Amino acid sequence: MTNSAGTAAATHQSAGGREELGITHVPASGRAPADGYLLQEVGVTLPTAKGPLSILRDVNLHVPQGQILGIVGRSGTGKTTLLRVLGGLLRPTTGRAMVDGVEITGPPEQVVTVFQDYASALLPWRSLERNVALPLERRMGRPERNERVREALAMVGLESRAKDYPWRLSGGMQQRVQIARALALRPRVLLMDEPFGALDAMTKATLQDQLLTVQRETGATIIFITHDIEEAIYLGDRVALIAGSPGHIPLEITTDLDRPRNQVETRELARYLEVRHQLHAALAAEHNK
């Protein structure tokens, strides 16, 4: 198992010989790919009352445009810090982070972050359509803004509730409104921090499928953090495990699951179960180090 500035790969021994679980090519030349994210030897150290604290160390990652990447790991391994680096909200202490070949020095254009605290993110005195319109109000005229709001609410199945207020909605619907607000900006990249973590299992499954539909319709890159390994596999084209303190990425796995996906049939596939086993085993091994 390696994780270097050249190629990050994870392997295991099977009956048929040695099989690659997932490979991420990170150019050693330092030149960024034509599109997508590239992180090279990224480290983050933050000041604390007890002195500098290293949160991330030697993180190498390439996420091509249009891919869905799930990031899993235990609490305290730097998952949210990594998402903040990707969103341009935090500069790396060491290494560099780039998107579409440009170094990230602040929030990149067309990169939007969706947090799990959907209730606090919505303004209760604004209707759903006015909540979705909020980030657009100083960017464009009313006709284009209204069209984008209608389009975004339709993508998350809430076009008929446009005049309602957030406090009338369930938690799952409120989270859909927050996703619609992000989609109204027509992002190339959607960063999501535990987007469905506070929801019940049935609501979570519905929103997972809705997210896959949105990605198919928009072609956006989606990078999301979750504690739920099964969710990461079901949604992701790839899953990255972040572990340790400071956090690093010792393992990435390509899921190789066909689309469209089905909550019952996909989760019964041999490949799904194989990836699930590998991630649980890797997480346990990192915990026991």
Side-chain angles (χ1 to χ4, degrees), residues 101-120:
V102 178
E103 188 158 2
I104 300 172
T105 57
E109 287 290 328
Q110 292 188 294
V111 174
V112 179
T113 303
V114 176
F115 297 99
Q116 64 172 311
D117 191 7
Y118 46 82
S120 299

Side-chain angles (χ1 to χ4, degrees), residues 3-289:
N3 190 9
S4 67
T7 300
T11 60
H12 81 289
Q13 192 71 31
S14 65
R18 198 169 183 83
E19 178 190 351
E20 288 187 349
L21 301 183
I23 297 179
T24 300
H25 295 286
V26 182
S29 66
R31 289 181 298 179
D35 58 15
Y37 275 102
L38 177 66
L39 273 60
Q40 292 181 308
E41 305 294 330
V42 163
V44 173
T45 300
L46 299 177
T48 71
K50 296 182 179 180
L53 178 63
S54 182
I55 308 296
L56 296 175
R57 171 178 56 83
D58 297 337
V59 173
N60 295 290
L61 189 66
H62 174 215
V63 187
Q65 176 62 32
Q67 191 172 86
I68 303 179
L69 173 70
I71 301 173
V72 299
R74 299 182 186 276
S75 297
T77 53
K79 297 187 300 299
T80 298
T81 298
L82 176 57
L83 206 71
R84 288 171 63 82
V85 170
L86 295 171
L89 302 175
L90 185 64
R91 294 284 299 274
T93 309
T94 59
R96 61 178 180 167
M98 292 177 283
V99 64
D100 296 337
V102 178
E103 188 158 2
I104 300 172
T105 57
E109 287 290 328
Q110 292 188 294
V111 174
V112 179
T113 303
V114 176
F115 297 99
Q116 64 172 311
D117 191 7
Y118 46 82
S120 299
L122 302 177
L123 302 179
W125 59 88
R126 279 184 171 239
S127 65
L128 303 194
E129 62 184 1
R130 291 191 64 221
N131 264 285
V132 173
L134 184 61
L136 305 177
E137 288 180 351
R138 295 186 180 182
R139 298 177 179 228
M140 61 193 65
R142 185 183 298 272
E144 183 181 359
R145 185 170 70 237
N146 290 345
E147 177 59 29
R148 286 202 186 195
V149 169
R150 281 194 296 270
E151 177 186 271
L153 285 172
M155 282 188 195
V156 300
L158 288 176
E159 62 270 41
S160 65
R161 306 293 297 270
K163 303 295 183 183
D164 278 351
Y165 290 86
W167 51 270
R168 293 181 177 272
L169 305 181
S170 66
M173 286 183 175
Q174 290 179 10
Q175 183 65 318
R176 277 195 269 170
V177 177
Q178 193 183 183
I179 293 171
R181 186 162 63 189
L183 294 174
L185 291 165
R186 296 182 179 171
R188 276 172 55 84
V189 179
L190 205 54
L191 304 176
M192 310 182 81
D193 189 357
E194 290 276 354
F196 311 135
L199 303 175
D200 63 87
M202 292 181 66
T203 303
K204 182 186 291 191
T206 298
L207 288 185
Q208 287 169 352
D209 289 337
Q210 200 138 35
L211 185 64
L212 289 174
T213 299
V214 164
Q215 198 280 334
R216 185 178 69 245
E217 292 177 353
T218 65
T221 303
I222 298 177
I223 302 174
F224 68 99
I225 288 171
T226 180
H227 284 95
D228 186 341
I229 287 177
E230 286 78 8
E231 177 175 79
I233 301 167
Y234 182 73
L235 290 174
D237 299 307
R238 281 169 43 226
V239 181
L241 171 65
I242 186 168
S245 181
H248 61 289
I249 297 179
L251 175 67
E252 294 178 51
I253 299 179
T254 301
T255 59
D256 289 325
L257 297 172
D258 291 337
R259 299 184 188 278
R261 296 180 185 176
N262 177 279
Q263 289 285 350
V264 175
E265 295 173 3
T266 298
R267 294 174 188 266
E268 292 176 344
L269 292 173
R271 179 58 182 167
Y272 177 95
L273 297 173
E274 180 185 16
V275 173
R276 181 178 179 273
H277 175 80
Q278 290 158 359
L279 283 168
H280 276 288
L283 194 61
E286 288 292 331
H287 182 65
N288 292 330
K289 281 184 177 179

